[in-house]
Amino acid sequence: MNTKQVFIVGFMLFAMFFGAGNLIFPPALGFEAGDHFWLAILGFALTGVGLPLLSMIVGSISEGGYRESLKHIHPFFSIGLLMVIYLTIGPFFAIPRTATTAYEMGIVPFLSSPSDITLFLFTIGFFALVLWIALSPADLSDTIGKFLTPTLLVTIIALIVRAFFLYFSNEPQMVHPTFNADAPFATGFLEGYLTMDAIAAIAFSIVVLNSIRSMGFNNRRELLVGTTKSAFLAAALLVFIYGSLGWIGNRVDLGAADVGNQNLGTFLLLFVSNEVFGGLGVFLLGVIVFLACLTTATGLIVSVAEYFNSLFPKASYKSFAGLFTFISLVLANQGLDQVIQTSVPVLSILYPIAMTTVFLLVFTFFVPSPGASLRVPVFAVTVLSFLAMIHRSGWMAMDWLESLPLFASQLEWIPVMVIGYVIGFLFGFNREKIRYS
């Protein structure tokens, strides 16, 4: 791939990642972290950028993407995990969140009395536009990479630069009472889960691979190199934007302004935009939010529809795109906070399973391993994730879980993954090793 092609695909990938959560979570984290900002934002960047970057690259180690790689664990697991991931980061959670965030930050500030009716009317228009763009998936990289992303970057960089000069001399915020100051890195790490980007990368990988193939690159090496270059460009842009938004939240002086019952990240961005550029700033933020959410929602609709069309080819791509757009429209009308609240327990189960799978795939790519070294840890982490979610939600007390290493940081799945890999490797030591093609 030449430089221009890398930038087109990289910009497309950045725009698809940079959606609702990417806007509202960094400033809120920066505001609450106080003096612990750098450790917290580092943890956030690891799950919000590092893991998505890794997930994208791993998706290209087989020519058939994750659908082919996951068959090394089990064909049914490949279908089951991908279906759950696509539905989670698609019509059930992530896509509705893009619409509600765009409404809360781009429309509500200009309404005298927002209501369920105004939300419904906005989501009708928003998803009509999303579907219109998604119905031409072959043109997605050009539409987003050449036009929407540059517009998005120019508007948000204008806001960041002006805010930097305005807040440069400000002291960091006081540490918020709800922030875990004893583990700022882990707090940021877990906050990065909520962006859904690490699992979204698994879904986006098929869009990136198809975009690179449409440029005439088809063998595994070309796909891997092209994906890697594009993913690193997108990652660099995301790190800059996340760090900048987090720093702004860390340094803004709210004075007597009261957050009230509003979402903290939403409130901070609206406050900063108004302080930096006045009424124009609120409009500018509305443009940023709308473009960010539009590109992410479109990329997700394309990814989910293409995957389900590949599973059930008798139903057309357009049918799936229309179906998932309609489901997203219905669920978006719950409102932003309800969408986020509902997604937390699901993500607490799905993230460890997805990340275990990604880590194992990349490790076994370099270290030939038997199939059991994948199956044993994935099964163990799946069981553990369900039990941990049930315990943390208070549905059933299982106090023995709290004695597991890293449980307090919600990373107890990592040692289980490592131990499971070793057990599986020893169990299948004399069996055929996995080879990716």
Side-chain angles (χ1 to χ4, degrees), residues 56-200:
M56 282 300 311
I57 295 172
V58 171
S60 60
I61 64 176
S62 289
E63 286 188 29
Y66 276 103
R67 189 172 180 180
E68 189 66 32
S69 298
L70 291 175
K71 289 181 181 178
H72 292 295
I73 300 175
H74 195 281
F76 289 147
F77 178 80
S78 174
I79 295 173
L81 178 63
L82 289 177
M83 285 183 68
V84 172
I85 286 175
Y86 278 111
L87 291 174
T88 300
I89 55 88
F92 288 170
F93 297 116
I95 298 176
R97 193 177 70 185
T98 61
T100 53
T101 301
Y103 173 75
E104 292 278 350
M105 299 174 64
I107 302 299
V108 169
F110 301 99
L111 298 177
S112 58
S113 56
S115 65
D116 293 343
I117 296 298
T118 55
L119 173 61
F120 177 71
L121 293 175
F122 171 80
T123 54
I124 287 285
F126 179 86
F127 283 115
L129 184 56
V130 166
L131 183 60
W132 178 66
I133 299 174
L135 288 180
S136 300
D139 300 327
L140 187 65
S141 61
D142 281 349
T143 304
I144 294 180
K146 286 184 178 179
F147 304 109
L148 293 181
T149 306
T151 305
L152 171 61
L153 281 173
V154 168
T155 51
I156 197 167
I157 287 174
L159 178 66
I160 287 171
V161 170
R162 179 75 178 109
F164 176 81
F165 284 106
L166 189 64
Y167 301 143
F168 181 76
S169 59
N170 289 5
E171 294 295 320
Q173 308 287 343
M174 298 291 292
V175 178
H176 196 272
T178 61
F179 184 82
N180 185 3
D182 294 329
F185 177 83
T187 301
F189 186 94
L190 295 173
E191 192 76 6
Y193 277 9
L194 297 179
T195 66
M196 304 189 197
D197 283 350
I199 54 176

Side-chain angles (χ1 to χ4, degrees), residues 315-336:
S316 68
Y317 163 82
K318 291 184 178 180
S319 298
F320 280 116
L323 172 64
F324 293 132
T325 301
F326 177 74
I327 294 173
S328 302
L329 167 66
V330 173
L331 295 181
N333 281 273
Q334 298 177 98
L336 177 59

Side-chain angles (χ1 to χ4, degrees), residues 71 103 181 205 235 357 396 399:
K71 289 181 181 178
Y103 173 75
S205 62
T357 303
M396 181 185 299
D399 295 337

Side-chain angles (χ1 to χ4, degrees), residues 107-341:
I107 302 299
V108 169
F110 301 99
L111 298 177
S112 58
S113 56
S115 65
D116 293 343
I117 296 298
T118 55
L119 173 61
F120 177 71
L121 293 175
F122 171 80
T123 54
I124 287 285
F126 179 86
F127 283 115
L129 184 56
V130 166
L131 183 60
W132 178 66
I133 299 174
L135 288 180
S136 300
D139 300 327
L140 187 65
S141 61
D142 281 349
T143 304
I144 294 180
K146 286 184 178 179
F147 304 109
L148 293 181
T149 306
T151 305
L152 171 61
L153 281 173
V154 168
T155 51
I156 197 167
I157 287 174
L159 178 66
I160 287 171
V161 170
R162 179 75 178 109
F164 176 81
F165 284 106
L166 189 64
Y167 301 143
F168 181 76
S169 59
N170 289 5
E171 294 295 320
Q173 308 287 343
M174 298 291 292
V175 178
H176 196 272
T178 61
F179 184 82
N180 185 3
D182 294 329
F185 177 83
T187 301
F189 186 94
L190 295 173
E191 192 76 6
Y193 277 9
L194 297 179
T195 66
M196 304 189 197
D197 283 350
I199 54 176
I202 296 175
F204 287 153
S205 62
I206 189 173
V207 178
V208 172
L209 289 175
N210 288 341
S211 295
I212 295 174
R213 286 191 183 102
S214 70
M215 295 175 177
F217 304 99
N218 292 299
N219 68 55
R220 190 178 69 164
R221 184 182 181 280
E222 290 174 334
L223 293 172
L224 178 60
V225 171
T227 300
T228 301
K229 289 180 178 179
S230 303
F232 267 101
L233 173 60
L237 292 172
L238 287 171
V239 167
F240 169 74
I241 299 297
Y242 288 167
S244 299
L245 292 176
W247 183 89
I248 288 171
N250 187 250
R251 297 301 182 95
V252 64
D253 182 4
L254 295 181
D258 182 23
V259 178
N261 295 323
Q262 297 183 61
N263 176 276
L264 177 59
T266 301
F267 174 84
L268 289 172
L269 288 173
L270 287 170
F271 179 89
V272 169
S273 299
N274 185 65
E275 190 169 51
V276 168
F277 287 120
L280 175 63
V282 178
F283 174 77
L284 183 65
L285 179 64
V287 173
I288 293 171
V289 171
F290 184 80
L291 289 175
C293 294
L294 176 67
T295 53
T296 296
T298 303
L300 287 170
I301 288 291
V302 171
S303 299
V304 179
E306 285 185 344
Y307 177 69
F308 277 87
N309 175 238
S310 69
L311 287 181
F312 309 103
K314 290 186 178 180
S316 68
Y317 163 82
K318 291 184 178 180
S319 298
F320 280 116
L323 172 64
F324 293 132
T325 301
F326 177 74
I327 294 173
S328 302
L329 167 66
V330 173
L331 295 181
N333 281 273
Q334 298 177 98
L336 177 59
D337 287 336
Q338 183 60 43
V339 171
I340 293 176
Q341 182 180 349

